[in-house]
Amino acid sequence: MKVLKNIAFTIIIFIVFLVLLELLFRGVKFFVRTPEIISDSTLGWVHNTQMKQHIKYNKCGEKVVRHPATHRLINKFPKYPGNKKILFIGDSFTHAHEVSTGRAYYDVFEENVKNTYSVYAAGTGGFGNLQEYMTLVSIFKKIRPDIVVWQLCGNDIINNVYELETVSLHDNNQRPRPYFNLETNQIEMKDPRPWLFIWSHGLRFVFYRLIILDWQYHFLGLPDLWAATIALDPKVHDKYAKQGLTILSKLLGDAIKRFPNTKFYGFAVDNNKYDHEYENIFIKHGMVYFSKFHQHVDNVANINCLPLDGHWNHLGNEIAGNILTKLLANH
């Protein structure tokens, strides 16, 4: 009996320790750094306008100076007045959080076309196509763009479908987000995180840092183990991927109907298997798509921080901005 009491006492102490450690972690996380994005009940997350300017170094070792956004959704307002208004909308590549504020691809574009366009950008890291569409609807009256350039990524399809995001290791943003239900034509807020990560911020933090270390040094094989444990059957995965593409098509169709006087362009930033499908969807809705855009950027060496980070660094943003200047000049 005494042994059982000791075991029970030890378990209780251990649980209390874990709870206190979790509370300490959340407290330190709250007070140490003001995050660049904050939770939002409608969009999942938005820019934190209360963030203070901070300096960091990206995975390439480049100095990055980040200024706070002045709007919860718009992270770039025009520097020069122009005859036409152009809005770049997208995810982390348009958020451009791995380069200094003012050095993103649309800033390069703006310097190239001074006084021709009033340049805006609305990019938030981790956003899927539904969140981007909701952003466009939310800010359209404020900007009334003549042109919208929609930046896509291969992980959009995963982020469009709850069932795909829940089994993804690299593309699960670990935050509740809105998803579009094709059966009901309704938007539903869901949380793709494993229940342990919902309960424990500390466990999530430690797990993903361990994954990054393991990916760099290959000592445990955790990414492969995780993928093998939760992977969907290929046929099931393909079914959900088609749903993700259908959602993109519906959103683009709704956008062109809602804003018929706006010209839409699209491009993808990475080498992904959906680039051709993206092109077909844009053409279907009478929009322009710059296919294989990534090849133009990837032709230049050292445009990102791979293998540690695939986002464009300062050089990558410069190259992408110059290419978009040429492509848009021809349309």
Side-chain angles (χ1 to χ4, degrees), residues 12 31 100 151 162 178 201 204 238:
I12 291 172
F31 287 107
S100 297
Q151 173 257 304
Y162 172 77
H201 292 201
R204 182 181 66 185
D238 289 345

Side-chain angles (χ1 to χ4, degrees), residues 9 12 18 33 45 51 71 76 79 103 180 313:
F9 180 74
I12 291 172
L18 290 178
R33 183 178 66 88
W45 56 93
M51 183 195 82
H71 189 277
K76 194 266 184 300
K79 185 177 178 181
R103 302 263 315 263
F180 188 83
N313 56 22

Side-chain angles (χ1 to χ4, degrees), residues 58-62 303-313:
N58 63 21
K59 297 299 190 300
C60 299
E62 299 172 341
I303 49 89
N304 55 37
C305 305
L306 286 174
L308 300 178
D309 194 320
H311 293 98
W312 294 328
N313 56 22

Side-chain angles (χ1 to χ4, degrees), residues 6-29:
N6 288 337
I7 293 175
F9 180 74
T10 302
I11 292 174
I12 291 172
I13 292 297
F14 182 68
I15 292 174
V16 170
F17 171 76
L18 290 178
V19 171
L20 291 175
L21 191 64
E22 176 70 17
L23 291 174
L24 177 63
F25 177 85
R26 294 191 186 199
V28 170
K29 185 178 179 182

Side-chain angles (χ1 to χ4, degrees), residues 126-157:
F127 265 19
N129 298 141
L130 175 59
Q131 290 162 299
E132 292 158 357
Y133 171 78
M134 293 169 70
T135 295
L136 175 63
V137 172
S138 177
I139 66 177
F140 190 89
K141 288 184 179 180
K142 184 178 183 66
I143 300 176
R144 298 192 180 278
D146 300 287
I147 296 173
V148 170
V149 181
W150 207 312
Q151 173 257 304
L152 300 172
C153 196
N155 60 20
D156 286 339
I157 302 306

Side-chain angles (χ1 to χ4, degrees), residues 149-299:
V149 181
W150 207 312
Q151 173 257 304
L152 300 172
C153 196
N155 60 20
D156 286 339
I157 302 306
I158 294 174
N159 298 144
N160 284 352
V161 182
Y162 172 77
E163 289 80 1
L164 289 180
E165 187 163 18
T166 56
V167 298
S168 173
L169 178 61
H170 299 291
D171 299 314
N172 187 326
N173 286 271
Q174 302 297 324
R175 289 176 176 271
R177 76 156 86 229
Y179 298 89
F180 188 83
N181 188 321
L182 288 170
E183 294 182 357
T184 63
N185 282 325
Q186 297 295 318
I187 295 173
E188 303 172 348
M189 185 69 75
K190 293 184 179 181
D191 194 331
R193 294 176 293 176
W195 70 269
L196 275 176
F197 293 171
I198 296 175
W199 177 82
S200 174
H201 292 201
L203 180 61
R204 182 181 66 185
F205 177 86
V206 171
F207 176 79
Y208 275 92
R209 294 308 181 278
L210 186 60
I211 285 289
I212 292 171
L213 288 173
D214 189 37
W215 181 68
Q216 284 183 250
Y217 301 108
H218 309 287
F219 59 90
L220 290 176
L222 286 177
D224 293 336
L225 179 61
W226 176 279
T229 303
I230 62 175
L232 293 173
D233 178 89
K235 291 183 179 180
V236 175
H237 184 281
D238 289 345
K239 181 189 76 171
Y240 287 131
K242 289 180 181 178
Q243 288 183 14
L245 290 166
T246 301
I247 289 169
L248 171 61
S249 181
K250 175 174 174 47
L251 295 174
L252 290 179
D254 287 351
I256 199 68
K257 289 177 184 176
R258 187 186 285 257
F259 312 118
N261 297 321
T262 300
K263 295 183 68 175
F264 285 84
Y265 297 82
F267 70 100
V269 295
D270 57 345
N271 181 13
N272 69 83
K273 62 181 179 181
Y274 301 114
D275 194 66
H276 185 61
E277 283 84 352
Y278 290 166
E279 182 179 16
N280 289 339
I281 291 171
F282 270 75
I283 292 174
K284 171 186 173 182
H285 295 293
M287 302 173 175
V288 176
Y289 185 77
F290 303 131
S291 63
K292 300 180 180 179
F293 179 86
H294 70 93
Q295 290 184 355
H296 299 288
V297 184
D298 293 346
N299 282 335

Side-chain angles (χ1 to χ4, degrees), residues 63 96 99-105 107-108 313-315 317-318:
K63 185 177 180 179
V99 296
S100 297
T101 302
R103 302 263 315 263
Y105 69 88
D107 295 301
V108 176
N313 56 22
H314 291 94
L315 175 61
N317 276 275
E318 181 180 346

